[in-house]
Amino acid sequence: MATQAGSLARPHRRPSPLPAVLLRRPDLPNSLALGWAVLVAALLFWRFSAYGFDDPYITYRYADNLAHGLGFVYNSGERVLSTTTPLYTLILALLRLAGADLPLASNALGCITIAIGGWALWALARAWEAPVAGAAGLVLYSTFPLLMPTLGAETTFYVALILLGILAYERERPFAAAIVLALAALTRADGVLVAGVVALDCLLRRRRPVPWRAVGAYLLLVAAWFAFAWVYFGQPFPVTLAVKQHQGQLAVSQSFARGFVQMLGAYWSRPLYRLHFVLAGLGLGYALARRPRFLLLLAWDLCYFVAYVALGVTRYYWYYAPLAPGIVALVSLGVAATGEAIGRATGPRYSAAVAALLALPLLAAQLSTLDAQRKTTDARLEIYHTVGDWLRTSTPQEASVGTLEVGIIGYYAQRRMIDFAGLIQPETALQLTKETTYEDAAIWAVHHFRPDYLILRDGLFTRLERDPAVARSCRRVKTWSDAADPSVVVAYRCGSR
């Protein structure tokens, strides 16, 4: 009878359809989100490991020189800060010391930080009591089309640090937030805007006492770098800011604001993306009315946008990537708001289903763009790699090379580069005005620096090719063409070399 009574006291339970290991998880949603992040990082690297474009190779060369003991320089012996990302450069230098291939390693780091950024956005939405928006953001951020074209640069790493810093702040960890946001500022100087937004939120909305220990740690880290830069380079900021401002004066350049409007128009012209616009509008209203804590994230994006408009820099597509968290947050809030509204009308069990159905066409549009981006890697990558290899193996080690685009060529050439756009020699950028062109700057640079070799796209700088000094002292020695790039690249040897 005792056995029978015991069996009645403990009725038989059906086995759960979920593995027991999952039931023991203290936070199953977080485990699933982390699993999604790992999967995303692996899939993105699988599809985009060979992706690349010209500009990050400038940073790669700084990292390579640093790893080989030549100093924080692009050209050996020339202390000019032409990379915008000192912290990312140091990380790449460590990877290079470990034997990593820098373009491949940087792409891997980019894929990982896209996944981390999506997880951080998800965690923020949970902290702000919007789990449905967080789930949508987790999925949409990892495929958002503004992010992937920047792969190889520091951008996704920078944005992930900002999201993690805001997350630490929201979790009442001011010291951790200060450290992470300081690292973001050391990755890109405009990261100081985030710290300003967080500080204002702390003082005006939360009305908390100033966390002086956190403030001191932030200021110490940021000040230490700027002091070093001032001593080492002679100025605390990268020369690229002034260069981009001069480039913005050119007639062929487009302002940051105008480029943004044009980008929105391009997305609106694709029917699949119009749902993004509608949901973002709903999301903004939802944030203002019911989820005001999201305004912290939107305030950072607004400050970033206003700062870049005020600086008057020319548009580059990677400048728009830091706007991705705010845009994704708005779209995700729109998804949540729609699901919530339908749930109130039909019952809460339909709310999540509606949100999931709304997210599907959004994801489909982004995946389609992602596939197109994978197929449109920089057409110059292969041919410039070949040109750089030829310069490294066929020219004297002390030779100097003048060209318009120094990233890929300069990284593989390992020769002193003369940059016609002014990124490496900022005095060249002073030649860029409303009345001049890149060709005028190239002519000035050739006369002023007298490079031993010129690498030109055939027919691009015809005045330079006809210039008496060039025609007299330079002759063609090599040409390259590539099926992926219709233009012909020509090498000139100048002087007695």
Side-chain angles (χ1 to χ4, degrees):
M1 292 296 295
T3 305
Q4 184 178 1
S7 65
L8 290 173
R10 295 187 297 274
H12 176 70
R13 292 182 180 178
R14 281 186 169 185
S16 169
L18 290 176
V21 67
L22 292 182
L23 293 176
R24 292 196 299 268
R25 289 281 188 177
D27 190 353
L28 178 58
N30 188 53
S31 300
L32 293 175
L34 287 172
W36 171 265
V38 172
L39 178 64
V40 162
L43 289 175
L44 289 178
F45 185 67
W46 172 51
R47 303 300 285 171
F48 285 87
S49 59
Y51 188 85
F53 64 105
D54 196 68
D55 276 60
Y57 282 79
I58 294 176
T59 299
Y60 300 164
R61 178 154 159 171
Y62 271 93
D64 189 73
N65 284 340
L66 190 57
H68 286 91
L70 299 178
F72 207 125
V73 295
Y74 182 87
N75 286 326
S76 181
E78 299 177 12
R79 293 187 177 184
V80 179
L81 185 56
S82 300
T83 177
T84 58
T85 179
L87 176 62
Y88 197 70
T89 304
L90 292 173
I91 292 171
L92 291 179
L94 292 175
L95 292 173
R96 186 71 186 92
L97 278 172
D101 175 272
L102 287 185
L104 191 66
S106 190
N107 280 1
L109 191 53
C111 293
I112 292 168
T113 51
I114 285 176
I116 290 173
W119 175 86
L121 192 58
W122 171 83
L124 274 172
R126 287 189 80 197
W128 292 335
E129 300 177 346
V132 174
L138 175 67
V139 173
L140 296 177
Y141 183 86
S142 58
T143 59
F144 199 67
L146 292 185
L147 295 170
M148 289 311 300
T150 72
L151 196 64
E154 77 283 356
T155 313
T156 60
F157 175 82
Y158 165 71
V159 175
L161 284 176
I162 288 172
L163 290 171
L164 290 172
I166 295 175
L167 178 61
Y169 167 71
E170 287 296 337
R171 289 181 170 178
E172 304 287 349
R173 298 172 182 173
F175 188 81
I179 297 299
V180 176
L181 292 179
L183 294 178
L186 298 181
T187 304
R188 288 185 65 92
D190 49 58
V192 298
L193 295 172
V194 192
V197 169
V198 168
L200 287 175
D201 182 80
C202 182
L203 294 173
L204 301 180
R205 183 180 68 87
R206 290 190 172 185
R207 300 182 182 276
R208 301 287 177 82
V210 177
W212 290 113
R213 181 167 168 263
V215 171
Y218 180 90
L219 293 176
L220 181 63
L221 280 174
V222 174
W225 162 255
F226 285 120
F228 167 79
W230 206 318
V231 171
Y232 191 85
F233 300 105
Q235 61 180 41
F237 299 106
V239 300
T240 48
L241 173 59
V243 171
K244 301 300 185 185
Q245 288 175 320
H246 279 283
Q247 290 177 354
Q249 299 178 36
L250 294 172
V252 297
S253 294
Q254 191 178 55
S255 70
F256 179 83
R258 187 176 175 184
F260 180 73
V261 172
Q262 187 179 64
M263 180 186 70
L264 290 181
Y267 279 107
W268 178 258
S269 67
R270 308 176 196 176
L272 285 175
Y273 275 97
R274 291 182 184 177
L275 183 59
H276 284 74
F277 286 82
V278 173
L279 290 172
L282 291 174
L284 180 59
Y286 186 59
L288 292 170
R290 304 195 60 182
R291 293 290 183 267
R293 293 167 75 180
F294 275 87
L295 298 179
L296 176 63
L297 190 59
L298 301 178
W300 161 50
D301 269 357
L302 180 62
C303 289
Y304 176 89
F305 184 89
V306 170
Y308 270 67
V309 171
L311 288 171
V313 296
T314 187
R315 68 161 325 258
Y316 285 98
Y317 62 83
W318 53 85
Y319 285 172
Y320 301 111
L323 301 175
I327 298 173
V328 171
L330 287 177
V331 174
S332 301
L333 283 170
V335 170
T338 304
E340 189 176 298
I342 292 176
R344 284 197 300 269
T346 62
R349 61 181 177 174
Y350 294 106
S351 178
V354 169
L357 288 174
L358 272 176
L360 285 177
L362 300 173
L363 181 61
Q366 294 182 186
L367 287 174
S368 175
T369 303
L370 204 65
D371 186 59
Q373 290 171 341
R374 181 183 63 85
K375 297 173 182 176
T376 55
T377 188
D378 196 329
R380 303 167 296 181
L381 191 60
E382 290 300 323
I383 194 169
Y384 279 2
H385 188 165
T386 302
V387 172
D389 286 342
W390 179 83
L391 287 167
R392 188 184 67 255
T393 58
S394 304
T395 65
Q397 190 170 359
E398 68 276 10
S400 59
V401 181
T403 192
L404 178 63
E405 295 160 321
V406 298
I408 300 166
I409 294 174
Y411 177 72
Y412 290 108
Q414 293 299 304
R415 295 293 181 266
R416 179 173 181 259
M417 302 302 293
I418 308 299
D419 169 33
F420 297 161
L423 293 170
I424 309 303
Q425 289 83 23
E427 52 265 54
T428 302
L430 300 177
Q431 316 309 313
L432 301 174
T433 67
K434 293 179 180 180
E435 292 77 31
T436 62
T437 65
Y438 282 113
E439 186 168 18
D440 293 307
I443 293 171
W444 181 89
V446 169
H447 283 267
H448 185 77
F449 294 106
R450 299 182 180 278
D452 301 310
Y453 291 83
L454 300 177
I455 302 295
L456 304 176
R457 287 182 170 269
D458 197 25
L460 181 62
F461 287 164
T462 54
R463 285 192 293 119
L464 175 61
E465 292 172 347
R466 295 195 304 263
D467 183 86
V470 173
R472 182 174 57 252
S473 63
C474 301
R475 63 184 181 87
R476 291 190 179 206
V477 292
K478 184 75 174 176
T479 61
W480 297 268
S481 61
D482 189 275
D485 190 347
S487 60
V488 174
V489 178
V490 182
Y492 291 82
R493 184 169 61 194
C494 302
S496 57
R497 292 194 181 277

